[in-house]
């Protein structure tokens, strides 16, 4: 590396990624999602939003409307994030599952969407009310898989949940020589309504533990935590500490746990996991796409302020350190144009004003002076 010219020496850049998972229970977007998107957090300078929703309204009329137009949630996020220089990079939907990725426009030359996939695991393995949706992309030269899932519900179906988890993983094969299997990817972000429950403890004990914030008493009986202790592959997926109350099940329009006749036991059904590819020491010597990178968890929280669903949304904020080959950054100051293409209409539906992307914007040496692209 010392012998390399300055132009080819890799440089480290930190990307801030905000991941959202929320079972919205067929509800429409609330008027304000600033807390969910951390728009008022002045300490965050986010680069990428990854948003996964479950149980979108998937009635016949809703699906017909969404075929011709953006669904209300996608439109809401675009309206909020577009003025902040974010562009929708990709999306994929399977019935009630929706996965969206937004990135600041200066990162667009270094994000390549390679494929999207839908894996239904519902009725007889063909119905898309349960399963996973995946966006596979290349981010600054690294292969990244992002999965939003909805696994089977109910306490007794834990084995079925684990089976569906494995099935979604097995179905993620890709037509690339470098990463034919999802486990070959540098980073996997996996989240959603995984529906894992708290075993053994009764309803009163669970609620008292939550009331007194004794969450550690419940962790050892959390089904996902138990499974990770016994499954070597699942153990490779990391998760932050559950320092927030269980996110299910609430009475809608309140912060009260289920008061219906069923009185379902609270549980951490909504989870965010990640897996970094293991890298050999030989990889560390190569200042190219296989240069080591690191993921740091900044926060893992729920958002109790939202009451439209029987689930509370959960978010993670990560710092991802990537290594950039300087030679890949365009030296020219030629202007860029951003085209917005509609898969539904099969045509270009918007073109941005010309804008510039300069090298220092990637290296964090100076903020962008140019105006953001307006579509």
């Amino acid at each position: 590396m010392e012998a390399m010219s300055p132009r080819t020496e890799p440089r480290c850049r930190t990307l801030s990624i905000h991941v959202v998972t929320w079972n919205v229970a067929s509800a429409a977007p609330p008027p304000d999602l600033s807390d969910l998107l951390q728009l008022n957090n002045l300490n965050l300078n986010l680069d990428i939003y990854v948003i996964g929703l479950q149980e979108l309204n998937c009635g016949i009329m809703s699906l017909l409307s969404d075929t011709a137009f953006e669904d209300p949630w996608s439109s809401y996020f675009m309206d909020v994030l577009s003025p902040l220089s974010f562009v929708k990079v990709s999306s994929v939907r399977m019935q009630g599952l929706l996965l969206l990725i937004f990135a600041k426009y200066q990162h667009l030359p270094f994000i390549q969407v390679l494929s999207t996939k839908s894996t239904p695991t519902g009725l007889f393995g063909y119905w898309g009310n349960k399963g996973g949706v995946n966006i596979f992309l290349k981010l600054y030269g690294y292969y990244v898989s992002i999965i939003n899932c909805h696994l089977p519900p109910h306490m007794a179906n834990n084995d079925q949940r684990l089976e569906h988890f494995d099935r979604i993983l097995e179905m993620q094969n890709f037509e690339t020589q470098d990463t034919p299997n999802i486990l070959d990817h540098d980073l996997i972000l996996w989240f959603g309504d995984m529906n894992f429950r708290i075993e053994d403890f009764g309803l009163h004990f669970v609620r008292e533990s939550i009331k007194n914030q004794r969450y550690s008493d419940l962790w050892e009986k959390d089904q996902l935590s138990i499974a990770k202790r016994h499954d070597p592959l699942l153990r490779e997926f990391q998760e932050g500490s559950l320092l927030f109350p269980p996110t299910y099940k609430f009475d809608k329009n309140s912060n009260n746990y289920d008061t219906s006749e069923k009185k379902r036991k609270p549980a951490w059904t909504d989870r965010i996991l990640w897996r970094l590819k293991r890298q050999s020491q030989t990889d560390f010597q190569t200042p190219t796409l296989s240069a080591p990178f690191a993921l740091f968890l900044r926060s893992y929280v729920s958002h109790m302020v939202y009451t439209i669903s029987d689930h509370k949304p959960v978010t993670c904020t990560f710092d991802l350190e990537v290594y950039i080959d300087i030679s890949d950054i365009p030296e020219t100051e030629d202007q860029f144009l951003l085209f917005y293409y509609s898969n539904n209409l099969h045509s270009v539906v918007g073109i941005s004003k010309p804008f510039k992307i300069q090298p220092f914007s990637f290296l964090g040496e100076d903020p962008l002076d140019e105006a953001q692209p307006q579509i």
Side-chain angles (χ1 to χ4, degrees):
M1 291 177 63
E2 293 177 356
M4 298 177 67
S5 68
R7 183 66 194 161
T8 59
E9 181 180 347
R11 297 285 295 274
C12 181
R13 169 69 195 262
T14 299
L15 303 176
S16 292
I17 303 175
H18 191 64
V19 180
V20 175
T21 180
W22 193 5
N23 183 321
V24 297
S26 299
D32 185 5
L33 288 176
S34 297
D35 185 66
L36 183 74
L37 300 175
Q38 294 291 281
L39 300 182
N40 299 324
N41 189 337
L42 300 180
N43 295 323
L44 284 180
N45 183 20
L46 295 172
D47 297 285
I48 297 173
Y49 280 98
V50 175
I51 301 171
L53 305 179
Q54 306 88 40
E55 288 195 18
L56 262 67
N57 186 351
C58 56
I60 296 297
M61 293 306 298
S62 175
L63 288 175
L64 289 175
S65 174
D66 294 347
T67 300
F69 308 99
E70 290 278 8
D71 67 272
W73 284 91
S74 295
S75 297
Y76 181 96
F77 288 121
M78 291 180 71
D79 290 343
V80 170
L81 295 176
S82 178
L84 303 177
S85 302
F86 286 91
V87 176
K88 188 175 80 170
V89 174
S90 184
S91 66
V92 57
R93 181 172 179 181
M94 181 179 70
Q95 290 185 216
L97 277 171
L98 175 66
L99 177 57
L100 301 163
I101 299 178
F102 292 86
K104 282 191 173 174
Y105 72 92
Q106 58 261 40
H107 302 295
L108 296 182
F110 301 94
I111 301 176
Q112 180 184 2
V113 178
L114 301 177
S115 70
T116 62
K117 283 182 176 289
S118 300
T119 306
T121 61
L123 186 65
F124 301 112
Y126 295 102
W127 192 241
N129 64 319
K130 295 293 185 291
V133 290
N134 173 288
I135 295 176
F136 170 40
L137 52 85
K138 205 171 185 179
L139 176 65
Y140 282 95
Y142 297 95
Y143 292 105
V144 178
S145 265
I146 299 171
I147 301 175
N148 172 28
C149 75
H150 194 181
L151 302 182
H154 307 309
M155 177 71 73
N157 290 333
N158 189 44
D159 288 343
Q160 191 178 12
R161 276 187 283 279
L162 295 173
E163 178 187 339
H164 285 206
F165 191 99
D166 290 340
R167 189 186 310 170
I168 294 170
L169 196 65
E170 291 171 0
M171 295 297 291
Q172 305 305 315
N173 296 318
F174 304 90
E175 296 178 359
T176 62
Q177 293 182 350
D178 295 335
T179 58
N181 186 278
I182 190 172
L183 297 179
D184 298 316
H185 297 174
D186 297 294
L187 172 65
I188 302 172
L189 292 173
W190 193 327
F191 49 86
D193 180 1
M194 298 188 179
N195 260 319
F196 290 106
R197 306 305 170 98
I198 297 172
E199 295 183 346
D200 297 342
F201 296 136
L203 175 63
H204 178 74
F205 179 85
V206 171
R207 290 194 172 183
E208 282 297 307
S209 298
I210 296 170
K211 180 180 178 180
N212 296 300
Q213 298 185 6
R214 296 196 308 268
Y215 305 132
S216 59
D217 292 345
L218 308 178
W219 293 341
E220 61 179 282
K221 296 298 183 180
D222 169 69
Q223 290 178 333
L224 178 56
S225 301
I226 294 172
K228 290 182 67 175
R229 291 197 289 267
H230 297 93
D231 187 325
L233 179 57
L234 193 55
R235 195 180 304 134
E236 294 183 14
F237 285 86
Q238 302 180 58
E239 182 181 19
S241 298
L242 297 169
L243 300 178
F244 49 86
T247 53
Y248 173 85
K249 174 183 174 46
F250 289 87
D251 292 334
K252 290 186 180 181
N253 303 311
S254 81
N255 284 325
N256 300 319
Y257 284 106
D258 189 10
T259 59
S260 68
E261 292 184 4
K262 293 184 178 180
K263 286 188 170 57
R264 295 177 181 86
K265 191 163 57 173
W268 286 287
T269 57
D270 310 279
R271 313 290 278 269
I272 300 175
L273 312 177
W274 72 93
R275 177 188 183 271
L276 286 172
K277 179 183 176 183
R278 294 180 180 177
Q279 292 176 307
S280 67
Q281 292 300 316
T282 56
D283 289 336
F284 299 163
Q285 310 301 322
T286 309
T288 58
L289 300 184
S290 61
F293 71 131
L295 190 72
F296 302 97
L297 178 65
R298 295 183 63 175
S299 70
Y300 187 29
V301 297
S302 64
H303 299 261
M304 296 290 290
V305 67
Y306 300 109
T307 61
I308 61 171
S309 169
D310 53 353
H311 291 251
K312 300 298 182 183
V314 173
T315 64
C316 264
T317 305
F318 298 101
D319 282 341
L320 176 64
E321 288 188 356
V322 298
Y323 287 79
I324 306 167
D325 190 337
I326 305 299
S327 62
D328 290 337
I329 297 177
E331 295 184 84
T332 176
E333 293 189 3
D334 289 348
Q335 293 177 324
F336 288 80
L337 288 173
L338 179 65
F339 288 77
Y340 189 86
Y341 181 83
S342 170
N343 287 323
N344 296 330
L345 300 176
H346 301 290
S347 66
V348 173
V349 294
I351 304 175
S352 74
K353 294 179 180 179
F355 63 96
K356 295 180 181 179
I357 296 177
Q358 296 183 351
F360 58 67
S361 68
F362 299 98
L363 303 177
E365 296 172 359
D366 200 6
L368 285 175
D369 293 327
E370 299 86 3
Q372 66 193 37
Q374 298 293 326
I375 299 179

